[in-house]
C-alpha cells in the first residue's frame, strides 16, 4: 500500500538520531523544512484530454512550482472517436470537432494511478487522484470504483469529475444516457458514502440555450439526488454552469410572484438548506469566471455569497493538459478582482482551507476503508 509521508532528510546521522531518540524527540537536523506558503490548491484539474494525451506529471509539478500546493488529479473519462467516415484525415482532439461519438475510457484510472506512483513520496503529497473511468448509467459502475480502490490502494481520494447532464457531451456518448434518477447513480453515491470518497459532479443546472425566466430543468432532480445521499460529500462543479448554460436570470417581464430565482438566489437557497449541508461548490473553469468577473455587480454579488458562506466554495482551474504555466494559471488570474473583494477568511478558505479540510477528511476515511477491505499484498 502506498502511504503519503512527509519528506525527511535521510543522512546517516539523522537516521541514527531517529533510532536512538525516537520520533518524539528529533535532532534539529531532522526537523521538516518550513512549509511553502502556496497561493492556492486546485480542486479541479485534468492531466489528460479527450484523446487521452496530456502533460507529463513531472513537468506539471514544475508548472505548479511554489504557487500551487495540492491538486485534485484526474483525466477525462471519455475518449473521442476518430471516425474516418466523419472527419477523414482530420484527427479530432475535442468533442466539438466532430460528430463522431464519445465512449467511456476506463484505462484513465490505471493511467492516473501509474503516474502518481511514479512520484516520490514527497511529490505524492501534492496530489489527490480521483477515479473517473466509469459509466454513471451502468449499474456496475460502483463495482468499477470498488475494483480500482482494491487494485490501487493508497492512491485515490474521490471520484470525478464525471458528468450527468453536460450540454453537447451527453448526447454524444454511446449507450444509455446518464440520468439523475438512474439507480446506477444512487449505487455510486452509496458506495462513496461507505468509503468516504469525495464526489466531484458535473451536472448542468439547465438545458443549453434555455429560455430566460424558465425554471432550470435539472435543478429539482439535482437537489433530489443530493438529498437522497446526505452522507456523501459532493462538490457541484462550476456552480451548475456549462459552456452554453448561462447563469439563471429572471425574465424582466415576469411579476415578482412569477419570477423564478436567479442563479445566485438558487445557490444561496441551497447553502441555507440544512438538508444540503454536505454539498459544496467549485468556481472552476474560465467559462464560469467570465460570468463572475463580467461586471462590478456580478463581482459584488458573487463576493457577497462567498463572504457569507466561506466554507462552502473551492477554487479550481479546470485546465486540461496545460502546456505552460501561463495557461495553467489563467483562471486563477481571471479571479484577481474577486479575490480582492473577499474577506481574509473567505479568501483563505476558497483558495486553500476548504480543499485541505474536504480532501483531508476523505483521504482518512478511504484509507481506513482500504485497511478493512483490501487484503495485504504478499
Amino acid at each position: 500500500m502506498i502511504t503519503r509521508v512527509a519528506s525527511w532528510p535521510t543522512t546517516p546521522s539523522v537516521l541514527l538520531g531517529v533510532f536512538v531518540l525516537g520520533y518524539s524527540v528529533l535532532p534539529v537536523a531532522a526537523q521538516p523544512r518550513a512549509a511553502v506558503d502556496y497561493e492556492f490548491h486546485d480542486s479541479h484539474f485534468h492531466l489528460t484530454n479527450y484523446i487521452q494525451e496530456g502533460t507529463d506529471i513531472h513537468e506539471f509539478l514544475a508548472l505548479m512550482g511554489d504557487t500551487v500546493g495540492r491538486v485534485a488529479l484526474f483525466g477525462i473519462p471519455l475518449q473521442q472517436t476518430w471516425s474516418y467516415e466523419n472527419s477523414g484525415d482530420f484527427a479530432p482532439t475535442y468533442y466539438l470537432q466532430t460528430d463522431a461519438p464519445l465512449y467511456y475510457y476506463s484505462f484513465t484510472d490505471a493511467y492516473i494511478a501509474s503516474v502518481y506512483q511514479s512520484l516520490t513520496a514527497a511529490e505524492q503529497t501534492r496530489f489527490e487522484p480521483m477515479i473517473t473511468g466509469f459509466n454513471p448509467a451502468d449499474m456496475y459502475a460502483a463495482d468499477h470504483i470498488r475494483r480500482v480502490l482494491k487494485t490501487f490502494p493508497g492512491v485515490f481520494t474521490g471520484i470525478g469529475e464525471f458528468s450527468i447532464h453536460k450540454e453537447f457531451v451527453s448526447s454524444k456518448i454511446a449507450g444509455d444516457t446518464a440520468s439523475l434518477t438512474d439507480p446506477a447513480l444512487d449505487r455510486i453515491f452509496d458506495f462513496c458514502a461507505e468509503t468516504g470518497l469525495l464526489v466531484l459532479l458535473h451536472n448542468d443546472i439547465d438545458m443549453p440555450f434555455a429560455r430566460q425566466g424558465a425554471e432550470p430543468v435539472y435543478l429539482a432532480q439535482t437537489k433530489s439526488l443530493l438529498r437522497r445521499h446526505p452522507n456523501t460529500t459532493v462538490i457541484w462543479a462550476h456552480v451548475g454552469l456549462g459552456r452554453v448554460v448561462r447563469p439563471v436570470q429572471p425574465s424582466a417581464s415576469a411579476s415578482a410572484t412569477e419570477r423564478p430565482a436567479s442563479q445566485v438566489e438558487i445557490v444561496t437557497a441551497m447553502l441555507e438548506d440544512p438538508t444540503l449541508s454536505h454539498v459544496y461548490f467549485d468556481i472552476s473553469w474560465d467559462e464560469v469566471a467570465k460570468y463572475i468577473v463580467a461586471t462590478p455587480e456580478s463581482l459584488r454579488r458573487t463576493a457577497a455569497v462567498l463572504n457569507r458562506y466561506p466554507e462552502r466554495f473551492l477554487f479550481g482551474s479546470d485546465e486540461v493538459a496545460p502546456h505552460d504555466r501561463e495557461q495553467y494559471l489563467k483562471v486563477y488570474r481571471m479571479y484577481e478582482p474577486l479575490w480582492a473583494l473577499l474577506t481574509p477568511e473567505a479568501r483563505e478558505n476558497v483558495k486553500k482551507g476548504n480543499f485541505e479540510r474536504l480532501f483531508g477528511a476523505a483521504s482518512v476515511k478511504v484509507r481506513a476503508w482500504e485497511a478493512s477491505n483490501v487484503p495485504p499484498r504478499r
Side-chain angles (χ1 to χ4, degrees):
M1 178 182 296
I2 297 173
T3 56
R4 300 178 186 181
V5 297
S7 177
W8 297 85
T10 55
T11 62
S13 61
V14 169
L15 292 176
L16 179 61
V18 170
F19 284 113
V20 172
L21 299 176
Y23 286 98
S24 59
V25 184
L26 290 175
V28 174
Q31 299 302 318
R33 297 176 180 176
V36 177
D37 187 18
Y38 298 108
E39 287 190 37
F40 69 93
H41 304 314
D42 188 346
S43 68
H44 193 131
F45 175 74
H46 301 271
L47 188 68
T48 57
N49 60 17
Y50 278 89
I51 59 169
Q52 309 306 319
E53 295 179 351
T55 310
D56 178 88
I57 190 69
H58 302 90
E59 295 176 2
F60 179 59
L61 271 167
L63 299 187
M64 293 166 60
D66 290 341
T67 302
V68 187
R70 294 162 61 187
V71 173
L73 183 72
F74 40 90
I76 295 282
L78 297 165
Q79 166 76 35
Q80 175 60 61
T81 303
W82 180 4
S83 169
Y84 194 83
E85 292 185 357
N86 182 267
S87 60
D89 292 328
F90 173 73
T93 60
Y94 194 57
Y95 65 87
L96 292 177
Q97 295 176 337
T98 175
D99 294 327
L102 297 158
Y103 61 90
Y104 288 101
Y105 188 81
S106 293
F107 185 72
T108 185
D109 295 327
Y111 176 73
I112 292 297
S114 70
V115 299
Y116 174 79
Q117 291 174 332
S118 74
L119 301 171
T120 67
E123 290 169 339
Q124 288 176 0
T125 64
R126 301 185 66 181
F127 294 102
E128 301 292 346
M130 307 281 276
I131 299 169
T132 62
F134 57 88
N135 179 353
D138 182 359
M139 290 291 285
Y140 280 125
D143 300 272
H144 168 87
I145 297 168
R146 180 190 299 270
R147 193 174 303 118
V148 171
L149 284 183
K150 289 188 171 184
T151 304
F152 302 103
V155 173
F156 291 98
T157 308
I159 68 170
E161 179 198 22
F162 72 99
S163 300
I164 303 300
H165 294 292
K166 183 176 181 180
E167 26 93 359
F168 308 115
V169 171
S170 301
S171 60
K172 288 192 63 176
I173 301 173
D176 294 339
T177 303
S179 166
L180 293 164
T181 62
D182 195 325
L185 189 56
D186 288 302
R187 288 197 76 214
I188 293 170
F189 274 56
D190 285 340
F191 183 66
C192 289
E194 174 189 335
T195 57
L197 286 163
L198 189 62
V199 175
L200 179 58
L201 172 69
H202 180 124
N203 187 77
D204 295 344
I205 196 171
D206 211 343
M207 68 177 69
F209 309 111
R211 180 173 60 86
Q212 188 180 43
E215 184 75 16
V217 295
Y218 301 126
L219 177 59
Q221 288 185 1
T222 300
K223 291 193 289 189
S224 177
L225 168 71
L226 297 171
R227 289 183 177 125
R228 291 198 302 271
H229 300 279
N231 297 319
T232 304
T233 303
V234 181
I235 301 172
W236 191 358
H238 321 308
V239 205
L241 303 182
R243 182 173 298 281
V244 292
V245 176
R246 297 168 293 183
V248 179
Q249 296 293 340
S251 173
S253 61
S255 66
T257 56
E258 297 174 338
R259 183 180 72 84
S262 68
Q263 188 82 21
V264 170
E265 292 168 334
I266 289 170
V267 172
T268 300
M270 293 181 68
L271 292 166
E272 294 174 345
D273 188 337
T275 68
L276 299 175
S277 61
H278 57 297
V279 180
Y280 301 81
F281 301 86
D282 86 19
I283 56 171
S284 66
W285 201 11
D286 57 355
E287 292 291 333
V288 176
K290 74 179 183 183
Y291 293 117
I292 290 176
V293 304
T295 66
E297 177 62 16
S298 62
L299 274 167
R300 185 194 65 77
R301 297 188 72 186
T302 303
V305 175
L306 270 61
N307 284 331
R308 185 177 176 186
Y309 303 96
E311 296 185 347
R312 301 290 291 277
F313 293 88
L314 299 90
F315 170 75
S317 68
D318 197 21
E319 285 298 332
V320 179
H323 52 77
D324 58 35
R325 185 175 171 83
E326 181 179 356
Q327 178 187 350
Y328 178 49
L329 298 179
K330 179 185 69 174
V331 178
Y332 179 70
R333 302 302 186 208
M334 287 179 70
Y335 276 128
E336 286 180 353
L338 177 64
W339 306 140
L341 294 178
L342 298 185
T343 65
E345 177 192 7
R347 191 161 51 243
E348 175 68 16
N349 277 322
V350 175
K351 287 185 176 184
K352 292 187 288 189
N354 295 334
F355 183 109
E356 293 169 0
R357 178 167 52 88
L358 295 181
F359 283 90
S363 180
V364 170
K365 293 176 183 177
V366 176
R367 300 294 84 82
W369 182 91
E370 291 171 345
S372 299
N373 291 273
V374 181
R377 293 185 177 179
R378 298 179 181 178

